[in-house]
Amino acid sequence: ARDAALSTLAFPFGGFRPGQRPLAEAVYKAASAGRCLMAQAPTGIGKTMGTLFPLLKAAPTQRLDKVFFLAAKTSGRQMALDALARLADSAPALPLRVLELVARDKSCEHPDKACHGESCPLAQGFYDRLPAARAAALQPLAGSERITLHQAQVRSAALAHQVCPYYLSQELARWADVVVGDYNYYFDMGGLLHGLAQANGWRTALLVDEAHNLVDRGRKMYTAELRPEGLAQARQSASASRYPAVKKALDKVRRAWVALDKQQAAAYAVHEAFPEDLLAALQLCGNTLTDHLAEHPAEPDAALQAFYFDALHLVRMAGLLDAHSLVDVTQPKAPSLPKAARAPGSSTLCIRNLVPAPFLAPRWEAAHTSTLFSATLQPQRYYTDLLGLPEDHLAIDVESPFQAAQLSVQVARHISTRYPDRKASLAPIVALMARQFGDRPGNYLAFFSSYEYLQQAAALLAERHPALPHWSQSRRMLESEQKQFLARFTESSEGIGFAVLGGAFAEGIDLPGRRLIGAFLATLGLPQVNPVNEQVKERMQALFGEGYDYTYLYPGLQKVVQAAGRVIRTPSDEGVVHLMDDRFGRPEVRALLPTWWAQSGR
Ligand code: SF4
Protein backbone atom coordinates (compact mmCIF):
# COMPACT_ATOMS: atom_id res chain seq x y z
CA ALA A 1 0.00 0.00 0.00
CA ARG A 2 2.86 2.33 0.84
CA ASP A 3 4.60 1.75 -2.48
CA ALA A 4 1.38 2.09 -4.47
CA ALA A 5 0.66 5.43 -2.80
CA LEU A 6 4.24 6.62 -3.33
CA SER A 7 4.06 5.78 -7.05
CA THR A 8 1.20 8.24 -7.49
CA LEU A 9 2.52 10.84 -5.04
CA ALA A 10 2.45 14.34 -6.53
CA PHE A 11 4.75 17.23 -5.69
CA PRO A 12 2.96 19.01 -2.83
CA PHE A 13 3.48 22.55 -4.14
CA GLY A 14 2.14 24.16 -7.30
CA GLY A 15 5.51 23.86 -8.99
CA PHE A 16 9.22 23.48 -8.33
CA ARG A 17 11.20 26.49 -7.20
CA PRO A 18 14.06 27.58 -9.47
CA GLY A 19 16.88 25.06 -9.02
CA GLN A 20 14.69 22.58 -7.17
CA ARG A 21 13.82 20.49 -10.22
CA PRO A 22 17.43 19.76 -11.32
CA LEU A 23 18.23 18.81 -7.73
CA ALA A 24 15.21 16.49 -7.53
CA GLU A 25 16.08 14.90 -10.87
CA ALA A 26 19.67 14.28 -9.79
CA VAL A 27 18.51 12.62 -6.55
CA TYR A 28 16.04 10.44 -8.44
CA LYS A 29 18.68 9.39 -10.97
CA ALA A 30 21.24 8.61 -8.25
CA ALA A 31 18.66 6.50 -6.42
CA SER A 32 17.72 4.68 -9.63
CA ALA A 33 21.37 3.94 -10.36
CA GLY A 34 22.14 2.98 -6.73
CA ARG A 35 24.82 5.67 -6.51
CA CYS A 36 26.04 8.30 -4.10
CA LEU A 37 25.38 11.95 -5.00
CA MET A 38 27.12 15.06 -3.74
CA ALA A 39 24.76 17.98 -4.32
CA GLN A 40 25.80 21.56 -3.81
CA ALA A 41 22.66 23.63 -3.95
CA PRO A 42 22.11 27.20 -2.80
CA THR A 43 19.98 28.23 0.12
CA GLY A 44 16.40 29.10 -0.65
CA ILE A 45 15.62 26.53 -3.34
CA GLY A 46 13.94 24.08 -0.95
CA LYS A 47 16.63 21.42 -0.65
CA THR A 48 14.80 19.38 1.98
CA MET A 49 11.69 18.81 -0.14
CA GLY A 50 13.87 18.72 -3.27
CA THR A 51 15.67 15.64 -1.95
CA LEU A 52 12.94 13.88 0.08
CA PHE A 53 10.28 13.92 -2.64
CA PRO A 54 12.35 12.27 -5.42
CA LEU A 55 13.75 9.69 -3.03
CA LEU A 56 10.27 8.67 -1.90
CA LYS A 57 9.18 8.53 -5.54
CA ALA A 58 12.10 6.21 -6.27
CA ALA A 59 11.38 3.98 -3.25
CA PRO A 60 8.92 1.56 -4.94
CA THR A 61 11.03 0.84 -8.03
CA GLN A 62 14.24 0.64 -6.03
CA ARG A 63 12.57 -1.55 -3.38
CA LEU A 64 13.80 0.71 -0.61
CA ASP A 65 12.96 -0.45 2.90
CA LYS A 66 13.88 2.75 4.70
CA VAL A 67 14.90 6.33 4.08
CA PHE A 68 17.18 7.84 6.73
CA PHE A 69 17.21 11.64 6.84
CA LEU A 70 20.33 12.54 8.83
CA ALA A 71 20.96 16.07 10.07
CA ALA A 72 23.63 17.83 12.09
CA LYS A 73 21.25 20.20 13.84
CA THR A 74 17.75 20.26 15.31
CA SER A 75 16.69 22.87 12.73
CA GLY A 76 17.56 20.45 9.91
CA ARG A 77 15.54 17.66 11.48
CA GLN A 78 12.60 20.00 11.98
CA MET A 79 12.67 21.06 8.33
CA ALA A 80 12.55 17.40 7.29
CA LEU A 81 9.63 16.68 9.63
CA ASP A 82 7.81 19.75 8.27
CA ALA A 83 8.42 18.68 4.66
CA LEU A 84 7.18 15.16 5.40
CA ALA A 85 4.09 16.56 7.13
CA ARG A 86 3.44 18.68 4.07
CA LEU A 87 3.67 15.58 1.85
CA ALA A 88 1.30 13.72 4.15
CA ASP A 89 -1.17 16.64 4.06
CA SER A 90 -1.15 16.54 0.28
CA ALA A 91 -1.73 12.77 0.18
CA PRO A 92 -3.96 11.74 3.12
CA ALA A 93 -4.07 8.12 1.92
CA LEU A 94 -0.28 7.77 2.05
CA PRO A 95 0.54 5.35 4.90
CA LEU A 96 4.03 6.71 5.53
CA ARG A 97 5.44 6.15 9.00
CA VAL A 98 7.83 8.93 9.93
CA LEU A 99 9.91 8.43 13.06
CA GLU A 100 11.83 11.18 14.83
CA LEU A 101 14.84 10.02 16.84
CA VAL A 102 15.84 12.33 19.67
CA ALA A 103 18.98 12.20 21.82
CA ARG A 104 18.77 10.55 25.23
CA ASP A 105 19.35 13.80 27.14
CA LYS A 106 16.33 15.35 25.40
CA SER A 107 13.97 12.40 25.84
CA CYS A 108 14.95 10.82 29.16
CA GLU A 109 12.27 11.04 31.86
CA HIS A 110 14.65 10.15 34.71
CA PRO A 111 18.03 11.76 34.02
CA ASP A 112 19.25 10.87 37.52
CA LYS A 113 18.78 7.14 36.93
CA ALA A 114 20.63 4.45 34.98
CA CYS A 115 19.01 2.68 32.04
CA HIS A 116 18.12 -0.66 33.58
CA GLY A 117 15.22 -2.12 35.46
CA GLU A 118 16.88 -2.02 38.86
CA SER A 119 17.30 1.72 38.64
CA CYS A 120 14.68 3.27 36.33
CA PRO A 121 10.94 2.49 36.60
CA LEU A 122 10.52 2.99 32.84
CA ALA A 123 13.12 0.33 32.10
CA GLN A 124 11.64 -2.17 34.54
CA GLY A 125 9.48 -4.66 32.63
CA PHE A 126 10.17 -2.70 29.43
CA TYR A 127 9.84 -5.70 27.13
CA ASP A 128 6.64 -6.89 28.84
CA ARG A 129 4.92 -3.60 28.10
CA LEU A 130 6.63 -2.88 24.80
CA PRO A 131 4.06 -4.58 22.49
CA ALA A 132 1.18 -2.52 23.90
CA ALA A 133 3.21 0.71 23.83
CA ARG A 134 4.30 0.04 20.27
CA ALA A 135 0.74 -0.73 19.17
CA ALA A 136 -0.43 2.54 20.74
CA ALA A 137 2.30 4.53 18.99
CA LEU A 138 1.46 2.92 15.63
CA GLN A 139 -2.21 3.93 15.74
CA PRO A 140 -3.12 6.18 12.78
CA LEU A 141 -4.33 9.67 13.60
CA ALA A 142 -8.12 9.86 13.80
CA GLY A 143 -9.76 9.95 10.37
CA SER A 144 -6.59 9.33 8.32
CA GLU A 145 -3.96 6.76 7.38
CA ARG A 146 -1.30 8.93 8.95
CA ILE A 147 0.98 7.48 11.60
CA THR A 148 3.12 10.10 13.24
CA LEU A 149 6.03 8.94 15.35
CA HIS A 150 7.36 12.34 16.32
CA GLN A 151 8.83 12.94 19.77
CA ALA A 152 5.56 14.13 21.34
CA GLN A 153 3.49 11.18 20.09
CA VAL A 154 6.10 8.59 21.04
CA ARG A 155 6.42 10.13 24.49
CA SER A 156 2.71 10.09 25.08
CA ALA A 157 2.40 6.41 23.98
CA ALA A 158 5.42 5.50 26.11
CA LEU A 159 4.17 7.18 29.26
CA ALA A 160 0.67 5.77 28.82
CA HIS A 161 2.26 2.31 29.00
CA GLN A 162 5.02 3.16 31.47
CA VAL A 163 7.97 2.47 29.18
CA CYS A 164 10.97 4.63 28.34
CA PRO A 165 10.27 7.01 25.40
CA TYR A 166 13.90 7.00 24.33
CA TYR A 167 14.08 3.23 23.97
CA LEU A 168 10.55 2.99 22.55
CA SER A 169 11.57 5.34 19.72
CA GLN A 170 14.55 3.09 18.97
CA GLU A 171 12.29 0.03 18.90
CA LEU A 172 10.01 1.82 16.43
CA ALA A 173 12.82 2.17 13.88
CA ARG A 174 11.88 -1.29 12.56
CA TRP A 175 8.34 -0.10 11.85
CA ALA A 176 9.22 3.24 10.26
CA ASP A 177 9.50 4.08 6.56
CA VAL A 178 11.40 7.31 7.09
CA VAL A 179 13.63 7.96 10.09
CA VAL A 180 14.74 11.51 10.88
CA GLY A 181 17.62 11.83 13.31
CA ASP A 182 21.07 13.14 14.05
CA TYR A 183 24.09 11.99 11.99
CA ASN A 184 25.29 9.85 14.87
CA TYR A 185 22.37 7.40 14.58
CA TYR A 186 23.91 6.17 11.36
CA PHE A 187 27.58 7.20 11.31
CA ASP A 188 28.68 6.70 14.91
CA MET A 189 30.85 3.65 15.65
CA GLY A 190 27.81 1.91 17.14
CA GLY A 191 25.19 3.81 15.11
CA LEU A 192 21.74 2.32 15.77
CA LEU A 193 20.36 2.71 12.24
CA HIS A 194 23.43 1.31 10.56
CA GLY A 195 23.43 -1.64 12.96
CA LEU A 196 19.74 -2.37 12.36
CA ALA A 197 20.12 -2.04 8.60
CA GLN A 198 23.00 -4.52 8.63
CA ALA A 199 21.28 -6.97 10.95
CA ASN A 200 18.00 -6.93 9.03
CA GLY A 201 19.41 -6.64 5.52
CA TRP A 202 17.43 -3.44 4.86
CA ARG A 203 17.83 -1.65 1.58
CA THR A 204 18.35 1.93 2.68
CA ALA A 205 18.66 5.41 1.24
CA LEU A 206 20.51 8.20 3.05
CA LEU A 207 19.90 11.92 2.89
CA VAL A 208 22.66 13.88 4.63
CA ASP A 209 21.55 17.42 5.38
CA GLU A 210 24.11 20.28 5.51
CA ALA A 211 26.73 17.66 4.72
CA HIS A 212 29.70 20.03 5.10
CA ASN A 213 29.23 19.47 8.85
CA LEU A 214 30.06 15.79 8.48
CA VAL A 215 33.80 16.49 8.30
CA ASP A 216 33.94 17.88 11.84
CA ARG A 217 31.19 15.67 13.20
CA GLY A 218 32.88 12.59 11.72
CA ARG A 219 36.18 13.59 13.28
CA LYS A 220 34.50 13.90 16.68
CA MET A 221 32.76 10.53 16.36
CA TYR A 222 36.01 8.71 15.61
CA THR A 223 38.13 10.59 18.15
CA ALA A 224 38.71 9.15 21.61
CA GLU A 225 39.82 11.33 24.49
CA LEU A 226 40.58 10.70 28.15
CA ARG A 227 40.71 13.62 30.54
CA PRO A 228 42.30 13.42 34.00
CA GLU A 229 39.15 14.62 35.76
CA GLY A 230 37.24 11.62 34.34
CA LEU A 231 39.66 9.22 36.01
CA ALA A 232 39.75 11.29 39.22
CA GLN A 233 35.95 11.20 39.50
CA ALA A 234 35.87 7.46 38.85
CA ARG A 235 38.51 6.90 41.55
CA GLN A 236 36.45 8.98 43.99
CA SER A 237 33.23 7.14 43.16
CA ALA A 238 31.30 5.09 45.69
CA SER A 239 32.04 1.91 43.71
CA ALA A 240 35.80 2.53 43.86
CA SER A 241 35.60 2.97 47.65
CA ARG A 242 33.46 -0.12 48.13
CA TYR A 243 35.06 -2.60 45.70
CA PRO A 244 38.84 -3.17 45.94
CA ALA A 245 39.06 -4.72 42.45
CA VAL A 246 37.62 -1.54 40.92
CA LYS A 247 39.96 0.66 42.91
CA LYS A 248 42.97 -1.47 42.00
CA ALA A 249 42.18 -1.33 38.27
CA LEU A 250 41.70 2.45 38.33
CA ASP A 251 44.88 2.97 40.37
CA LYS A 252 46.85 0.99 37.82
CA VAL A 253 45.62 3.31 35.07
CA ARG A 254 46.58 6.28 37.19
CA ARG A 255 50.13 4.98 37.74
CA ALA A 256 50.68 4.37 34.02
CA TRP A 257 49.31 7.84 33.25
CA VAL A 258 51.64 9.50 35.78
CA ALA A 259 54.62 7.56 34.41
CA LEU A 260 53.80 8.71 30.88
CA ASP A 261 53.55 12.35 31.93
CA LYS A 262 56.87 12.18 33.76
CA GLN A 263 58.56 11.32 30.48
CA GLN A 264 57.05 14.30 28.67
CA ALA A 265 58.66 17.68 29.21
CA ALA A 266 56.89 19.45 26.33
CA ALA A 267 53.37 20.85 26.59
CA TYR A 268 52.29 18.88 23.55
CA ALA A 269 53.62 15.61 22.16
CA VAL A 270 52.60 13.33 19.33
CA HIS A 271 53.15 9.56 19.60
CA GLU A 272 53.48 6.98 16.85
CA ALA A 273 51.17 4.63 18.74
CA PHE A 274 49.16 4.80 21.92
CA PRO A 275 51.61 4.33 24.85
CA GLU A 276 51.74 0.59 25.54
CA ASP A 277 51.71 0.48 29.35
CA LEU A 278 48.81 2.84 29.62
CA LEU A 279 46.89 0.96 26.94
CA ALA A 280 47.44 -2.33 28.78
CA ALA A 281 46.21 -0.74 32.03
CA LEU A 282 43.13 0.62 30.27
CA GLN A 283 42.34 -2.75 28.71
CA LEU A 284 42.59 -4.46 32.07
CA CYS A 285 40.52 -1.76 33.72
CA GLY A 286 37.88 -2.11 30.97
CA ASN A 287 37.62 -5.87 31.64
CA THR A 288 37.36 -5.34 35.39
CA LEU A 289 34.66 -2.70 35.01
CA THR A 290 32.71 -4.83 32.52
CA ASP A 291 32.54 -7.62 35.11
CA HIS A 292 31.80 -5.22 37.93
CA LEU A 293 28.94 -3.45 36.15
CA ALA A 294 27.41 -6.79 35.12
CA GLU A 295 27.57 -8.04 38.70
CA HIS A 296 26.17 -4.87 40.26
CA PRO A 297 23.52 -3.54 37.89
CA ALA A 298 21.52 -2.00 40.73
CA GLU A 299 24.26 0.42 41.70
CA PRO A 300 24.26 3.20 39.13
CA ASP A 301 27.51 5.10 39.32
CA ALA A 302 27.55 7.84 36.70
CA ALA A 303 31.23 8.80 37.14
CA LEU A 304 32.41 5.20 36.90
CA GLN A 305 30.24 4.49 33.88
CA ALA A 306 31.39 7.64 32.09
CA PHE A 307 35.04 6.69 32.54
CA TYR A 308 34.28 3.09 31.55
CA PHE A 309 32.71 4.10 28.23
CA ASP A 310 35.49 6.60 27.48
CA ALA A 311 38.15 3.99 28.22
CA LEU A 312 36.43 1.35 26.07
CA HIS A 313 36.14 3.78 23.16
CA LEU A 314 39.80 4.72 23.45
CA VAL A 315 40.95 1.10 23.56
CA ARG A 316 38.82 0.38 20.52
CA MET A 317 40.17 3.34 18.56
CA ALA A 318 43.74 2.42 19.56
CA GLY A 319 43.17 -0.91 17.83
CA LEU A 320 42.07 0.89 14.66
CA LEU A 321 44.87 3.45 14.64
CA ASP A 322 46.19 4.33 11.21
CA ALA A 323 47.20 7.36 9.14
CA HIS A 324 43.66 8.74 9.56
CA SER A 325 44.33 9.61 13.21
CA LEU A 326 47.11 10.75 15.50
CA VAL A 327 47.89 10.12 19.14
CA ASP A 328 48.65 13.23 21.15
CA VAL A 329 49.21 14.08 24.79
CA THR A 330 48.58 17.63 25.98
CA GLN A 331 49.96 18.83 29.30
CA PRO A 332 48.26 21.62 31.25
CA LYS A 333 51.33 23.84 31.31
CA ALA A 334 49.75 27.25 31.85
CA PRO A 335 51.67 28.86 34.75
CA SER A 336 48.38 30.33 36.01
CA LEU A 337 47.12 26.83 36.90
CA PRO A 338 47.65 25.59 40.47
CA LYS A 339 50.62 23.26 40.86
CA ALA A 340 48.39 20.22 41.52
CA ALA A 341 46.66 20.73 38.18
CA ARG A 342 50.04 20.55 36.44
CA ALA A 343 51.32 17.46 38.29
CA PRO A 344 52.06 14.25 36.34
CA GLY A 345 48.81 12.47 35.52
CA SER A 346 47.07 15.71 34.52
CA SER A 347 47.50 15.44 30.76
CA THR A 348 44.74 14.92 28.22
CA LEU A 349 45.20 11.77 26.12
CA CYS A 350 43.73 11.75 22.67
CA ILE A 351 43.45 9.53 19.64
CA ARG A 352 42.46 12.31 17.30
CA ASN A 353 40.74 11.46 14.06
CA LEU A 354 41.74 13.79 11.22
CA VAL A 355 40.32 11.92 8.23
CA PRO A 356 36.93 10.32 8.86
CA ALA A 357 36.91 8.83 5.33
CA PRO A 358 37.99 5.26 6.24
CA PHE A 359 35.16 5.02 8.78
CA LEU A 360 32.54 6.66 6.59
CA ALA A 361 33.31 4.80 3.36
CA PRO A 362 31.74 1.49 4.49
CA ARG A 363 28.62 3.39 5.58
CA TRP A 364 28.10 4.78 2.06
CA GLU A 365 28.71 1.33 0.66
CA ALA A 366 26.12 -0.19 2.98
CA ALA A 367 23.37 2.10 1.66
CA HIS A 368 21.69 1.55 -1.72
CA THR A 369 21.93 5.28 -2.43
CA SER A 370 23.05 8.40 -0.56
CA THR A 371 22.68 12.10 -1.23
CA LEU A 372 24.84 14.60 0.63
CA PHE A 373 23.61 18.14 0.20
CA SER A 374 24.65 21.58 1.33
CA ALA A 375 25.10 25.11 0.03
CA THR A 376 28.85 24.83 0.62
CA LEU A 377 30.61 21.73 -0.69
CA GLN A 378 33.52 23.42 -2.42
CA PRO A 379 36.07 22.31 -3.41
CA GLN A 380 34.59 18.92 -4.17
CA ARG A 381 37.87 17.02 -3.75
CA TYR A 382 38.19 18.24 -0.16
CA TYR A 383 34.84 16.69 0.77
CA THR A 384 35.37 13.61 -1.38
CA ASP A 385 38.73 12.92 0.27
CA LEU A 386 37.66 13.58 3.84
CA LEU A 387 34.23 11.97 3.64
CA GLY A 388 35.40 8.88 1.77
CA LEU A 389 32.81 9.09 -1.00
CA PRO A 390 32.81 6.20 -3.48
CA GLU A 391 35.00 6.64 -6.58
CA ASP A 392 31.94 6.53 -8.83
CA HIS A 393 29.88 9.08 -6.91
CA LEU A 394 27.89 11.64 -8.86
CA ALA A 395 28.00 15.38 -8.30
CA ILE A 396 25.74 18.30 -9.12
CA ASP A 397 26.22 22.00 -8.57
CA VAL A 398 22.77 23.54 -8.75
CA GLU A 399 22.77 27.01 -10.20
CA SER A 400 21.73 29.76 -7.84
CA PRO A 401 18.29 31.26 -8.40
CA PHE A 402 19.69 34.60 -7.26
CA GLN A 403 21.04 37.30 -9.54
CA ALA A 404 24.43 38.94 -9.09
CA ALA A 405 22.63 42.28 -8.99
CA GLN A 406 20.90 41.25 -5.75
CA LEU A 407 24.17 41.20 -3.82
CA SER A 408 26.88 43.81 -3.82
CA VAL A 409 30.13 42.17 -2.69
CA GLN A 410 32.80 44.64 -1.57
CA VAL A 411 36.37 43.75 -0.65
CA ALA A 412 38.03 46.13 1.83
CA ARG A 413 41.64 45.76 0.73
CA HIS A 414 42.84 48.42 3.15
CA ILE A 415 42.04 46.18 6.15
CA SER A 416 44.10 43.29 7.49
CA THR A 417 42.55 41.08 10.19
CA ARG A 418 45.76 39.05 10.69
CA TYR A 419 46.47 38.60 14.37
CA PRO A 420 49.28 41.21 14.64
CA ASP A 421 47.16 43.75 12.72
CA ARG A 422 43.98 43.38 14.75
CA LYS A 423 44.37 46.49 16.86
CA ALA A 424 45.05 48.65 13.82
CA SER A 425 42.10 47.09 12.00
CA LEU A 426 39.47 48.21 14.52
CA ALA A 427 39.17 51.84 13.42
CA PRO A 428 38.77 51.13 9.67
CA ILE A 429 36.33 48.27 10.40
CA VAL A 430 34.14 50.51 12.55
CA ALA A 431 34.36 53.37 10.05
CA LEU A 432 33.26 51.08 7.21
CA MET A 433 30.33 49.75 9.24
CA ALA A 434 29.17 53.25 10.15
CA ARG A 435 29.48 54.45 6.56
CA GLN A 436 27.49 51.50 5.21
CA PHE A 437 24.84 51.95 7.89
CA GLY A 438 24.62 55.66 7.11
CA ASP A 439 24.25 54.96 3.37
CA ARG A 440 21.58 52.32 3.89
CA PRO A 441 20.13 52.04 7.38
CA GLY A 442 18.78 48.59 8.23
CA ASN A 443 19.82 45.34 9.88
CA TYR A 444 23.33 43.92 9.49
CA LEU A 445 25.35 41.07 10.93
CA ALA A 446 29.06 41.52 11.61
CA PHE A 447 31.21 38.41 12.00
CA PHE A 448 34.52 38.17 13.85
CA SER A 449 36.98 35.37 14.49
CA SER A 450 36.77 35.57 18.30
CA TYR A 451 34.75 37.06 21.15
CA GLU A 452 37.69 39.21 22.11
CA TYR A 453 37.95 40.78 18.66
CA LEU A 454 34.17 41.18 18.53
CA GLN A 455 34.09 42.98 21.89
CA GLN A 456 36.91 45.34 20.91
CA ALA A 457 35.13 46.31 17.69
CA ALA A 458 31.76 46.68 19.46
CA ALA A 459 33.35 48.90 22.13
CA LEU A 460 34.92 51.17 19.52
CA LEU A 461 31.66 51.40 17.58
CA ALA A 462 29.84 52.38 20.78
CA GLU A 463 32.46 55.03 21.51
CA ARG A 464 32.62 56.58 18.04
CA HIS A 465 29.02 56.11 16.93
CA PRO A 466 26.92 56.01 20.09
CA ALA A 467 23.67 56.48 18.17
CA LEU A 468 24.19 53.38 16.03
CA PRO A 469 22.21 50.51 17.62
CA HIS A 470 24.14 47.28 18.06
CA TRP A 471 23.96 44.08 20.07
CA SER A 472 26.44 41.26 20.60
CA GLN A 473 26.61 37.52 20.84
CA SER A 474 28.19 36.30 24.07
CA ARG A 475 29.84 33.05 25.08
CA ARG A 476 27.55 30.10 25.89
CA MET A 477 24.30 31.93 25.16
CA LEU A 478 21.18 30.10 26.31
CA GLU A 479 18.59 29.18 23.70
CA SER A 480 16.32 31.96 25.03
CA GLU A 481 19.14 34.51 24.71
CA GLN A 482 19.82 33.39 21.15
CA LYS A 483 16.14 33.94 20.37
CA GLN A 484 16.34 37.45 21.85
CA PHE A 485 19.39 38.21 19.69
CA LEU A 486 17.52 37.15 16.55
CA ALA A 487 14.28 38.85 17.61
CA ARG A 488 16.02 42.20 17.20
CA PHE A 489 16.12 41.64 13.44
CA THR A 490 12.65 42.77 12.38
CA GLU A 491 11.24 44.25 9.18
CA SER A 492 11.34 47.72 10.74
CA SER A 493 14.36 47.56 13.08
CA GLU A 494 17.85 48.91 12.38
CA GLY A 495 21.23 48.04 13.81
CA ILE A 496 24.22 45.73 13.73
CA GLY A 497 24.36 42.34 15.44
CA PHE A 498 27.93 41.32 16.35
CA ALA A 499 28.58 37.58 16.13
CA VAL A 500 31.43 35.09 15.90
CA LEU A 501 32.04 33.19 12.70
CA GLY A 502 31.20 29.51 13.03
CA GLY A 503 28.81 30.26 15.92
CA ALA A 504 25.05 29.98 16.32
CA PHE A 505 24.26 32.95 14.04
CA ALA A 506 26.61 32.11 11.19
CA GLU A 507 24.65 29.16 9.82
CA GLY A 508 21.11 27.82 9.69
CA ILE A 509 19.33 31.09 10.51
CA ASP A 510 16.83 32.64 8.17
CA LEU A 511 16.33 36.43 8.15
CA PRO A 512 14.63 37.22 4.83
CA GLY A 513 13.74 40.62 3.40
CA ARG A 514 14.45 43.69 5.53
CA ARG A 515 15.27 41.54 8.54
CA LEU A 516 18.85 41.37 7.22
CA ILE A 517 20.25 43.55 4.45
CA GLY A 518 23.97 43.08 4.84
CA ALA A 519 26.92 41.37 6.47
CA PHE A 520 30.44 42.38 7.44
CA LEU A 521 33.07 39.64 7.50
CA ALA A 522 36.08 40.72 9.56
CA THR A 523 37.78 37.34 9.21
CA LEU A 524 38.66 34.66 6.69
CA GLY A 525 37.55 32.10 9.23
CA LEU A 526 40.96 30.43 9.24
CA PRO A 527 41.33 28.05 12.17
CA GLN A 528 43.85 29.15 14.79
CA VAL A 529 47.47 28.21 14.18
CA ASN A 530 48.33 25.93 17.11
CA PRO A 531 50.26 22.68 17.63
CA VAL A 532 47.24 20.49 16.88
CA ASN A 533 46.33 22.28 13.66
CA GLU A 534 49.96 22.24 12.59
CA GLN A 535 49.91 18.46 13.02
CA VAL A 536 46.72 18.32 10.98
CA LYS A 537 48.42 20.36 8.28
CA GLU A 538 51.38 18.00 8.18
CA ARG A 539 49.09 14.97 7.88
CA MET A 540 46.93 16.63 5.19
CA GLN A 541 50.06 17.46 3.24
CA ALA A 542 51.27 13.87 3.47
CA LEU A 543 47.91 12.36 2.53
CA PHE A 544 46.50 14.83 0.02
CA GLY A 545 49.36 17.18 -0.89
CA GLU A 546 47.41 20.26 0.27
CA GLY A 547 48.34 20.77 3.90
CA TYR A 548 47.53 24.46 4.30
CA ASP A 549 44.40 24.50 2.18
CA TYR A 550 42.85 21.39 3.76
CA THR A 551 43.60 22.61 7.28
CA TYR A 552 43.04 26.34 7.12
CA LEU A 553 41.81 27.81 3.86
CA TYR A 554 38.94 25.49 2.87
CA PRO A 555 37.36 25.14 6.33
CA GLY A 556 37.70 28.91 6.86
CA LEU A 557 36.14 29.98 3.57
CA GLN A 558 33.34 27.46 3.99
CA LYS A 559 32.32 29.33 7.15
CA VAL A 560 32.61 32.72 5.42
CA VAL A 561 30.33 31.64 2.57
CA GLN A 562 27.80 30.15 5.01
CA ALA A 563 27.73 33.37 7.05
CA ALA A 564 27.49 35.65 4.02
CA GLY A 565 24.72 33.37 2.74
CA ARG A 566 22.45 34.75 5.48
CA VAL A 567 21.93 37.95 3.45
CA ILE A 568 20.11 36.76 0.32
CA ARG A 569 17.36 34.29 1.18
CA THR A 570 14.74 34.91 -1.51
CA PRO A 571 14.74 36.11 -5.13
CA SER A 572 13.44 39.51 -3.96
CA ASP A 573 16.13 40.12 -1.30
CA GLU A 574 18.82 42.72 -1.93
CA GLY A 575 21.91 43.27 0.17
CA VAL A 576 25.60 43.87 0.61
CA VAL A 577 28.51 41.81 1.89
CA HIS A 578 31.70 43.53 3.00
CA LEU A 579 34.69 41.18 2.99
CA MET A 580 37.02 43.07 5.28
CA ASP A 581 40.51 41.75 4.63
CA ASP A 582 42.97 42.28 1.79
CA ARG A 583 43.32 38.49 1.35
CA PHE A 584 39.76 38.31 0.00
CA GLY A 585 41.21 39.87 -3.15
CA ARG A 586 43.54 36.91 -3.81
CA PRO A 587 42.61 34.65 -6.73
CA GLU A 588 42.82 31.42 -4.65
CA VAL A 589 40.40 32.91 -2.12
CA ARG A 590 38.04 34.37 -4.72
CA ALA A 591 37.91 30.96 -6.40
CA LEU A 592 36.20 29.61 -3.27
CA LEU A 593 33.41 32.19 -3.28
CA PRO A 594 30.08 31.33 -4.96
CA THR A 595 30.23 31.82 -8.73
CA TRP A 596 27.03 33.87 -8.79
CA TRP A 597 28.80 36.53 -6.71
CA ALA A 598 31.46 36.91 -9.37
CA GLN A 599 29.69 39.42 -11.55
CA SER A 600 28.77 41.79 -8.77
CA GLY A 601 30.63 44.98 -8.12
CA ARG A 602 33.86 43.81 -6.57
S1 SF4 B 1 15.51 4.03 30.73
FE1 SF4 B 1 14.85 5.87 29.68
S2 SF4 B 1 13.86 7.14 31.20
FE2 SF4 B 1 15.05 5.59 32.28
S3 SF4 B 1 17.01 6.54 32.65
FE3 SF4 B 1 17.23 5.44 30.73
S4 SF4 B 1 16.71 6.96 29.13
FE4 SF4 B 1 15.99 7.76 31.10
Side-chain angles (χ1 to χ4, degrees), residues 104 107-111 113-116 120-123 164-167:
R104 181 184 180 276
S107 53
C108 174
E109 296 287 325
H110 295 285
K113 305 233 176 335
C115 299
H116 56 74
C120 176
L122 298 182
C164 166
Y166 174 65
Y167 287 105

Side-chain angles (χ1 to χ4, degrees), residues 34-50:
R35 305 270 284 276
C36 175
L37 170 71
M38 176 155 66
Q40 177 167 272
T43 309
I45 68 161
K47 289 195 282 289
T48 307
M49 187 64 88

Side-chain angles (χ1 to χ4, degrees), residues 153-199:
Q153 287 82 10
V154 173
R155 179 172 186 266
S156 124
L159 296 187
H161 293 270
Q162 280 300 292
V163 297
C164 166
Y166 174 65
Y167 287 105
L168 176 61
S169 68
Q170 301 202 352
E171 289 291 333
L172 288 166
R174 292 164 203 275
W175 274 264
D177 302 299
V178 182
V179 182
V180 177
D182 185 271
Y183 288 170
N184 64 15
Y185 283 105
Y186 186 79
F187 295 112
D188 206 45
M189 290 300 282
L192 170 86
L193 296 176
H194 176 253
L196 283 173
Q198 294 294 100

